[in-house]
Amino acid sequence: MNEQSAAPTSQLAARAVAGDMEAFEELYRQTVGRVHAVCLRMCGNRSMAEELTQEEALTLAKAPLQEFMLGQVREKDVALFLDLTNREAPESPEDLPMLIVIPSFVLGELKMAFQIGFVLFLPFLIIDMVVASVLMSMGMMMLPPVLISLPFKVLLFVLVDGWYLIVRSLVMAFQNA
């Protein structure tokens, strides 16, 4: 399969999950190529990258990943996981083990996801309640409110440029850290 006729990664992943071995092989080839490119960048030369073991690669990748994650975590989350594992806080954040950094990062990202979900859900809930009350007051109890409210929800999302707002808030969250 050449580059122009290759399916997008999301399609390949869906086909691979469904048991399509050709898609799985293509997905593997694409992923190995990306991993190899990262190893080349980290090592500096091709022969060292090809001889890199999994442990060495993890050691090389730990520092940049930990630096990125530490820029996103809250002290409260780190303190929680330090307390849960009965560990003392180290002198500097760079000395934190990944056992603490990764769950703290995930917890912070989950919090951000729930906040975004709530901000998106609230206006849609208000639209549903208004449409349902209008339909009830008109005596149209058998008409599902979703049938009427869905176009209003889509219209609201398009009018406020919802995708722009979501992507901008996500990118700004990573730039401010």
Side-chain angles (χ1 to χ4, degrees):
M1 208 186 292
N2 62 17
E3 188 70 29
Q4 287 141 352
S5 67
T9 306
S10 58
Q11 284 181 354
L12 288 172
R15 286 177 36 207
V17 167
D20 186 350
M21 287 309 289
E22 181 182 311
F24 187 76
E25 288 175 31
E26 180 62 28
L27 187 63
Y28 175 76
R29 270 191 239 111
Q30 287 179 5
T31 305
V32 165
R34 290 182 193 143
V35 169
H36 189 53
V38 169
C39 289
L40 278 173
R41 271 185 294 187
M42 289 168 48
C43 293
N45 64 22
R46 185 175 198 83
S47 63
M48 189 176 166
E50 289 174 351
E51 296 172 3
L52 198 63
T53 65
Q54 185 176 4
E55 291 80 23
E56 292 168 335
L58 287 173
T59 304
L60 285 172
K62 180 184 175 194
L65 279 174
Q66 188 172 19
E67 180 185 339
F68 171 75
M69 286 191 236
L70 284 173
Q72 308 300 320
V73 299
R74 297 179 304 165
E75 289 181 27
K76 182 179 173 183
D77 296 336
V78 172
L80 169 72
F81 286 105
L82 281 171
D83 187 45
L84 290 174
T85 58
N86 296 322
R87 294 180 187 228
E88 294 294 321
E91 305 253 341
S92 71
E94 289 77 25
D95 296 334
L96 282 168
M98 291 300 271
L99 178 70
I100 303 298
V101 176
I102 292 172
S104 302
F105 175 76
V106 170
L107 190 61
E109 294 305 302
L110 283 172
K111 179 183 180 246
M112 177 67 74
F114 277 111
Q115 287 174 340
I116 290 172
F118 183 74
V119 168
L120 285 174
F121 175 71
L122 203 55
F124 292 165
L125 180 66
I126 292 170
I127 289 173
D128 276 338
M129 290 182 357
V130 168
V131 167
S133 64
V134 167
L135 287 175
M136 289 297 281
S137 67
M138 293 172 55
M140 302 176 124
M141 288 165 268
M142 298 303 285
L143 182 63
V146 174
L147 196 67
I148 306 298
S149 67
L150 183 63
F152 288 116
K153 291 177 186 178
V154 172
L155 183 65
L156 175 70
F157 194 74
V158 169
L159 286 177
V160 299
D161 203 7
W163 287 120
Y164 170 81
L165 294 173
I166 290 172
V167 170
R168 183 176 181 274
S169 66
L170 287 173
V171 170
M172 294 302 287
F174 283 107
Q175 283 181 345
N176 292 336

